[in-house]
Structure formats: structure tokens, C-alpha cells
Amino acid sequence: MYDDTVVDERAIAAAVAAVRARIERACRRAGRSPDEVTLIGVTKTFPVEAVAAARAAGLEDFGENKVQELVEKAGRIPGALHGGPVRWHMIGHLQRNKARDVVRHADVFHALDSRRLAEALERRAADAGRVLPCFVQVNVSGEPSKFGLDPGAVHPFLDALAACEHLHVVGLMTLAAPADDPEDVRPQFRLLRRLLETYDARDNPQVDLRYLSMGMTGDFEVAVEEGATHVRIGTALFGAREAP
Ligand SMILES: *Cc1c(COP(=O)(O)O)cnc(C)c1O
């Protein structure tokens, strides 16, 4: 699939710098500190050499949306979980039967969207003796094709996670609807932030909502203006992907 891709290290370094500069400008507009925003390089479909090149350019966080690719790349460049030099973020939909792979290889999981998946991850994390930091995925655009909980289901879902001692819910994640003008999706990012701000964790020790994982190549500046703490960026860093 990607074996014959040539990785242009200089182009990746320049792209990392350019995206960081755009994040900084968006932060300045919003009166935020760039230190609050983690740039996750989404390396799906690109070879592990692209991860190495971006790491050399200072990037420490990487995202994959398929378990198989995560396992392959994290096998070559381990995550902090195993004392490695990067953090691996599993950002794609996960089937329950792959929960163990994620617990083994992902530093952070961004797509928690059902109780049954939470139960599977909880069991595997308990077996492995680790705590898995998770984001709950929310479908803010209402598109039927999107994964994620309906906004109205998020708070009850968070309440139900109180029993999952090996999951630590650190934030909410979303994919906005594709839009020609990123201004169109600003209300979707605002909705995610409001869901975070209005959750009352009370005596739920597993939930400590601090982070918003939102914003991709087409809309990350608007996401940062609306409070994103984690932006997941592929195309602007590594170039266009071939159609799947
Ligand atoms: C592919 C992907 C991204 C990055 O998309 P770009 O538009 O290439 O920046 C972000 N989040 C998720 C969940 C993805 O699957």
C-alpha cells in the first residue's frame, strides 16, 4: 500500500513548522497559550518513516485510525507507555475484539462511544494492569454516517463509566461535518465545549474532563479558537492520502 512512498523529511519539517505557526496565530486570536494545544500528526496510510521524520522535527504525538496500522507502527516506534519517544493516539472507531491491541499499544484512545466497548477496554486494561486515558466521541454534526454518541447521550454515558476503574476519561472528541467554509462548523465545536463545561462529575472518579480533541486539516484553526486542546492533523503535515 505505502511501501513505495518516498518520505520527504524536509517537507515534513517545514509542514510541522507551518502548522504550528497557524496554531499559534489561532491561539493569539483567542487569547490562549499555544502550550494548551497538542498537535497530533495523523500518519494513517503513511509509512513509519513519516513518523520518524516528524519526530525529528519535534512532533511527539501521533494518531492512527486503524488498529492494524497502529500495531505495526507502534511496534517500530514505541509509545511512551513502553518507554518510547512518542505518544500513540488511537483516533478511529474500534471494534470490541480489538480492544486488547489498543490497550497494548495506544497511549490514549479517542473514540470511546459505547458501553460495550467501555466494558471490553476496562477488562483488557485491568488484565494489563494499566489505566487507559480515553476521550468520549460525540457526533456533533448529526450526520448518520458518523460514529459517536448523540450529544444528549453524553452525560448519562459518562455517569455510567464510574464503574470502569481502568479507564480515565480525560475529554471529548469529535469530527465536524466536512465544510467548504470552516466557519460553518464553529457551532459544532462550541457544542462539544459546552458538553464538557456542563458535565458535573460529582463523585465520578473516572471522569476528569479537561480536553477537547477537535479540528483537522480543514478546520483546526476554528477548533483552536473554540477551545481545542488536541488537534488531529494529517493532510496539512504529510500531504494528500490516496483514496482508500
Ligand atoms: C484522518 C483523520 C484525521 C486527519 O484528517 P486530515 O483532514 O487529513 O487532517 C483526524 N481525525 C480522524 C479521526 C481521522 O480519521
Side-chain angles (χ1 to χ4, degrees):
M1 174 182 42
Y2 47 62
D3 302 311
D4 55 358
T5 306
V6 176
V7 168
D8 182 339
E9 293 171 15
R10 293 220 318 237
I12 290 175
V16 168
V19 168
R20 284 208 191 283
R22 288 170 63 185
I23 291 172
E24 276 170 29
R25 282 196 295 273
C27 282
R28 210 170 304 139
R29 285 195 295 277
R32 303 183 61 202
S33 161
D35 298 343
E36 296 171 22
V37 182
T38 298
L39 171 57
I40 300 174
V42 178
T43 41
K44 63 189 185 193
T45 80
F46 291 99
V48 73
E49 287 76 13
V51 179
R55 180 66 190 81
L59 210 62
E60 296 180 338
D61 291 84
F62 294 90
E64 289 291 335
N65 73 333
K66 294 208 169 75
V67 173
Q68 184 56 35
E69 268 191 81
L70 171 76
V71 169
E72 278 172 33
K73 288 176 201 169
R76 302 272 303 280
I77 302 180
L81 171 69
H82 298 295
V86 301
R87 277 179 297 269
W88 284 107
H89 299 256
M90 173 62 189
I91 61 175
H93 180 68
L94 180 67
Q95 284 170 348
R96 275 177 294 146
N97 61 4
K98 306 269 176 65
R100 193 168 59 140
D101 289 327
V102 164
V103 166
R104 275 194 184 159
H105 293 285
D107 291 279
V108 186
F109 179 55
H110 287 241
L112 185 57
D113 63 358
S114 78
R115 289 192 194 196
R116 295 177 76 192
L117 178 58
E119 283 161 14
L121 288 167
E122 165 65 20
R123 196 166 56 242
R124 295 305 189 178
D127 290 347
R130 72 169 290 206
V131 171
L132 180 68
C134 295
F135 288 76
V136 168
Q137 184 171 353
V138 185
N139 180 356
V140 291
S141 69
E143 295 166 285
S145 60
K146 288 263 165 71
F147 291 110
L149 295 167
D150 288 336
V154 171
H155 289 179
F157 179 74
L158 292 169
D159 289 341
L161 295 177
C164 296
E165 292 180 8
H166 299 85
L167 305 184
H168 186 201
V169 182
V170 296
L172 303 178
M173 175 273 213
T174 201
L175 284 94
D180 292 332
D181 181 354
E183 280 302 325
D184 293 347
V185 297
R186 190 181 290 277
Q188 296 173 27
F189 295 140
R190 282 201 179 143
L191 172 58
L192 196 71
R193 190 179 67 197
R194 197 159 54 243
L195 286 169
L196 178 141
E197 287 171 349
T198 54
Y199 182 64
D200 177 2
R202 273 164 303 214
D203 44 11
N204 185 342
Q206 302 320 119
V207 177
D208 181 12
L209 296 182
R210 281 174 290 158
Y211 300 132
L212 289 170
S213 171
M214 57 188 195
M216 312 181 9
T217 291
D219 57 22
F220 71 89
E221 285 145 311
V222 172
V224 167
E225 288 170 14
E226 294 302 330
T229 62
H230 293 67
V231 292
R232 310 177 309 267
I233 299 183
T235 310
L237 293 173
F238 303 105
R241 292 177 294 272
E242 285 176 31

